[in-house]
Amino acid sequence: MDEIEVPTHFLCPISLQLMRDPVTVYTGITYDRENIEKWLFSCNNNNNNSRTCPVTKQSLLNTDLTPNHTLRRFIQSWCTLNASLGVELIPTPKSPIDKSQILNLINETKRFPQKQLKCLKRLRSFVFEGERNKSCLESAGAIDFLASTMNNINKVQQDPTLLTKLLNCSCNKLSCIDCKNCNITVAYCNLETCRLSEAAVEVLFHISPSEVMLKKLINNEEIQFVESLFQVLRVGNYQSRAYATMLLKSAFEVANPIQLISVKSMLFVEIMRVLRDKISQQASKAALKIIAELCEWGRNRIKGVEGGGVSVLIELLLDTQERRACELILIALDKLCGCAEGRAELVNHGAGVAIVSKKVLRVSYVASDRGVKILSSICRYSATSRVLHEMLQVGAVSKLCLVLQVNTSSKTKERAKEILKLHSMLWKNSPCIPLHLLSSYP
């Protein structure tokens, strides 16, 4: 293909690659469907009401995409003629789904609940066929359906006897729905419900619900969206726990203060387990952002500490070299050290003070600022004789002197200077501080 001259009008104006499914927008410009759908439905281009044509920059009064069948047939003919030169043949693309197809699928599943898993697999295939499908799924109510499916796990978890009743059901079925023989009404047994919830959370994550839809979900008391995600975190497989963590991060970003304050302590336990299990980089970063977000509200700092947050973050920091990950860990650790319980956990950990001071000046300005801020909290409120001597021994005091000499932010320098002044009586004449650094002691 690199040696073959492709007709210019066969190329997509966005990717400059051969179009496989040419479609024309309102302005008359033709694009490859996949590229223009990403532009219209997933890029920040749709943050305001005026979506624009990438070529003309004109506002699109509507986002209808009209298949350009004539151009597609010309491209397919050209590919066939040049197949001997290594040009790939382009199959006729599938027609995109419409809202009625999704509605029919969901309604059929509501009538025949035993088809739920099959329905979720169909919805998953729709999601991966294109960005337009994601928008279509949201407008057809698929997100509410998925959230309701996930909520079934709450019903089983809240009544553990349901599983026993189902297994003893005279029908001899693993899953009963409105079973007339044994008079039990329940969605699914524990194992089946977990499978459905895992499938639903995957589809929901890949749809990427809008902020408006996320707000609607977390404000719907019947769906119990956050609680459903928590249950997936608790009993799901690694992949579904990763999806649940990233959805929780998005949900908490649009939640109101009351919802953030009322988060349960057990959620922090599960978030820490995600970090401890190192499921994926994406999930770990989402978990760290959740901690930083939640710890701004109410007693969440204490809940995070009680959930084992400080020790988990320290252990994670010991094994982490990647810049952004280190920054996020230190930000989360700083939040937890905003309470006495968090500071106590850090100074009682054998590597706590040492690893925080080690990351100062080794990662980034952000990491240095947060590291010095954590040390400042320790020195202000938890400065026992043992802690102050430990800071000398592990090189934390020397690092603070070095902060004053190198290029760091003025705020970081000011914090370091305050710490050194605060305990100058103990530290200033210590042989633990190299002479060339001692000269900069304030």
Side-chain angles (χ1 to χ4, degrees), residues 123-136:
L123 293 177
R124 183 182 183 278
S125 68
F126 291 155
V127 168
F128 289 109
E129 283 176 6
E131 294 296 326
R132 180 186 180 278
N133 286 0
K134 296 180 183 180
S135 179
C136 192

Side-chain angles (χ1 to χ4, degrees), residues 258-424:
I258 294 175
Q259 291 165 331
L260 296 173
I261 290 170
S262 59
V263 165
K264 294 180 180 179
S265 299
M266 284 303 295
L267 178 65
F268 285 94
V269 174
E270 294 304 325
I271 291 298
M272 300 310 168
R273 194 160 68 94
V274 169
L275 291 172
R276 197 184 302 113
D277 291 344
K278 298 179 181 178
I279 295 173
S280 70
Q281 282 191 351
Q282 273 187 310
S284 293
K285 288 180 180 179
L288 292 168
K289 289 177 182 179
I290 288 172
I291 297 168
E293 176 70 34
L294 292 180
C295 284
E296 295 286 348
W297 304 94
R299 297 183 69 258
N300 286 342
R301 285 189 179 93
I302 297 172
K303 294 175 189 175
V305 174
E306 290 173 347
V310 174
S311 61
V312 170
L313 292 174
I314 291 171
E315 297 298 329
L316 202 60
L317 196 58
L318 286 166
D319 295 333
T320 302
Q321 302 299 324
E322 198 261 323
R323 180 187 64 82
R324 184 54 181 157
C326 283
E327 290 174 351
L328 290 171
I329 294 169
L330 287 167
I331 290 170
L333 201 53
D334 173 39
K335 300 290 184 182
L336 293 179
C337 286
C339 65
E341 293 83 354
R343 293 189 294 272
E345 287 286 326
L346 185 133
V347 298
N348 288 330
H349 192 290
V353 173
I355 189 60
V356 169
S357 59
K358 182 180 179 180
K359 294 299 180 180
V360 174
L361 301 181
R362 285 198 176 192
V363 180
S364 67
Y365 285 148
V366 172
S368 295
D369 182 65
R370 290 294 175 161
V372 171
K373 191 177 177 186
I374 291 169
L375 295 176
S376 176
S377 296
I378 298 300
C379 289
R380 281 175 174 273
Y381 307 110
S382 306
T384 64
S385 176
R386 179 186 68 80
V387 171
L388 295 177
H389 278 94
E390 182 184 352
M391 290 183 68
L392 275 171
Q393 291 169 353
V394 302
V397 180
S398 296
K399 186 64 71 76
L400 291 170
C401 291
L402 189 58
V403 166
L404 300 180
Q405 295 186 348
V406 300
N407 183 24
T408 57
S409 72
S410 57
K411 185 183 290 186
T412 305
K413 286 182 185 291
E414 192 59 37
R415 283 201 185 103
K417 188 181 293 185
E418 287 177 3
I419 297 170
L420 292 170
K421 283 183 177 179
L422 193 61
H423 300 292
S424 60

